[in-house]
Every structure is written in C-alpha cells, then in structure tokens.
Amino acid sequence: MKQSVTLKGTKGSFVLSLDEAASFVSIMKELNELLEHLHGEQKRSKEVQKDIYLEIKTGNRLLSQEQQELVIEEIESKSTFLIKKITSNVVTYEKAIEWQKAVSLQMEVQTVRSGQVLTAPGNLLFVGKVHPGGMLRANGSIFIIGELMGIAHAGFEGDTNAVIVADFHTDAQVRIADSIQIIEKKNNHQDSIRKNEFAYINDLHILDFNSLDQLRKMRPNLGKVIGGLNEWV
C-alpha cells in the first residue's frame, strides 16, 4: 500500500511529502504514527534532538487554512521540527490574480495633478503629464511618455531592480525603493531636462542615471514580464 506520508532528509533539513490522492484523515493518521516512531527512536538512542527545519510538500493538493493548522499543530506538539514552509504545485484563484497583476504592464493615459496618486501593482506605462505635487507609484518599473514634473516612485515595496524611464524635468522627484533624488534646476531650461535616460540603483546602492542604450545591458530581464510564478510565490 502506498504511504500517505513520507519523510526524506536533505542537507540540513527534512522534506515531508503528503500524498495528493490520499484522504486527509489517512494523512493525519500516518503523520501521527510517523512522529510517534521518530520520538521512540530518539528516546531509545538517548540523543538530544536539535531543531531541524522541515518543508512540507503537498503536490497537486491545496490544504485549507484549517488543514494546515492541524498539520502544523501535530508536528509542533510531537517533534522538534521547525516548519520552514508549506509548498504546493497549485495556487488559489486569488493568488493567481495577484501574481498576474504583479507581472503585468499597466497602461494609463491621463493627467496626474497636485495631490493625486496613481498606483500600479506591477510595472506602469504612463502616457500624460505629472504635475508638481502629483505622484506615480509602482511596485515594479515606471515608463513615462510625457512630462514628469512631480514624483515618480518605482519599486515602492523595496524592489531595487526597478527603473524609471522618463524625460526628467526640473524639480521632479525620483524614488526607487528607499532612494530619493531631486532633479536640480539649472540656469538653462533645456539643460534642466535629462532626455533619453533612465534612473536606477547602481552597484553602490545609490540612485543614478544612465543612457537608454544601456538599459538592456543593465537590466536584461526587464522585458520578460510573463512567467516567473515560482520565483514570485
């Protein structure tokens, strides 16, 4: 008979696999037996078991929140395993929609006036004008076709690989993650506009500018906006 629960050791941790075809009742029964067996082995060897990380894999099965809590409670109460994470080959509908928004390019054609904030969960393509006091904010990168005279904040949840592409006007404020820079005013109005450039965080973790022809070289994965679900979750 196929086991519902299997435990395998890896380097510095263990992986507990749950059979996706087995009933949850069978899984809990075998899990209890496995933990009791491990406890007995430890007791007989008289060894003090150190905390070991445990990853739980459920395959093509998605445990409910209640089922996850039952599994975690069973393991924590009968072993010294430290549960690292619970992984599955499937995701909830809500998680899939969240991922789709995060990796998609949101396009907006409008004017952002003082006091207004336009937010995107992923990358943002903005066509229009951002007035002083207006803000564009995106978790990913921001691409502006038009005038930026307000604030553009890319990677606002901490993505330091995000970039901002725009014609940077006088007194515009550029932010990437936690780094901020104000485009300083110059005597010649034409000199105050930085054209064909992008803002990014350089290797010294400082917000910097470079010409657009270097964008592909410095951010080679920027154009790949489809895929990457495994890394995202």
Side-chain angles (χ1 to χ4, degrees), residues 3 11 38 71 75 99 104-105 115 120 145-146 148 212 220 224:
Q3 288 181 297
K11 187 176 181 180
L38 293 176
V71 171
I75 294 172
W99 165 75
S104 295
L105 179 65
I145 302 176
L148 172 63
L212 278 179
K224 300 176 182 179

Side-chain angles (χ1 to χ4, degrees), residues 36 54 75 88 93 98 135 150 199 218:
E36 291 288 350
L54 177 70
I75 294 172
S88 172
Y93 173 80
E98 185 182 354
M135 175 185 282
M218 302 184 72

Side-chain angles (χ1 to χ4, degrees), residues 160-213:
T160 57
N161 287 318
V163 301
I164 299 174
V165 178
D167 285 344
F168 300 103
H169 281 239
T170 298
D171 297 332
Q173 187 181 118
V174 177
R175 304 179 186 176
I176 298 178
D178 296 327
S179 298
I180 302 174
Q181 184 167 328
I182 296 175
I183 310 301
E184 297 179 356
K185 186 174 182 178
K186 298 181 181 179
N187 294 329
N188 187 326
H189 176 68
Q190 292 301 318
D191 290 340
S192 68
I193 302 176
R194 309 181 68 148
K195 291 188 175 182
N196 301 319
E197 288 188 332
F198 68 97
Y200 70 106
I201 301 294
N202 63 24
D203 293 338
L204 299 176
H205 307 289
I206 297 173
L207 198 153
D208 201 356
F209 296 84
N210 209 325
S211 59
L212 278 179
D213 58 4

Side-chain angles (χ1 to χ4, degrees), residues 3-61:
Q3 288 181 297
S4 300
V5 176
T6 55
L7 182 68
K8 293 183 179 180
T10 62
K11 187 176 181 180
S13 64
F14 279 83
V15 174
L16 181 72
S17 299
L18 309 182
D19 182 12
E20 60 195 43
S23 69
F24 187 70
V25 173
S26 298
I27 287 175
M28 291 303 296
K29 181 177 181 296
E30 287 194 27
L31 178 59
N32 176 68
E33 293 172 352
L34 174 63
L35 295 174
E36 291 288 350
H37 174 73
L38 293 176
H39 179 71
E41 289 290 326
Q42 178 191 353
K43 194 172 181 180
R44 281 190 291 273
S45 65
K46 296 181 181 181
E47 292 183 1
V48 178
Q49 186 175 349
K50 298 180 180 180
D51 293 334
I52 300 177
Y53 285 109
L54 177 70
E55 179 182 355
I56 302 172
K57 293 187 175 182
T58 64
N60 294 326
R61 164 191 232 120

Side-chain angles (χ1 to χ4, degrees), residues 56-103:
I56 302 172
K57 293 187 175 182
T58 64
N60 294 326
R61 164 191 232 120
L62 194 61
L63 296 180
S64 67
Q65 186 63 37
E66 181 181 0
Q67 289 174 331
Q68 288 188 38
E69 291 173 357
L70 288 172
V71 171
I72 292 172
E73 182 182 359
E74 182 77 5
I75 294 172
E76 290 183 343
S77 64
K78 297 182 179 180
S79 74
T80 57
F81 282 124
L82 297 176
I83 299 176
K84 185 178 180 180
K85 60 182 176 179
I86 299 177
T87 59
S88 172
N89 294 337
V90 294
V91 296
T92 62
Y93 173 80
E94 291 78 11
K95 192 76 172 178
I97 292 298
E98 185 182 354
W99 165 75
Q100 189 273 333
K101 289 180 179 179
V103 299

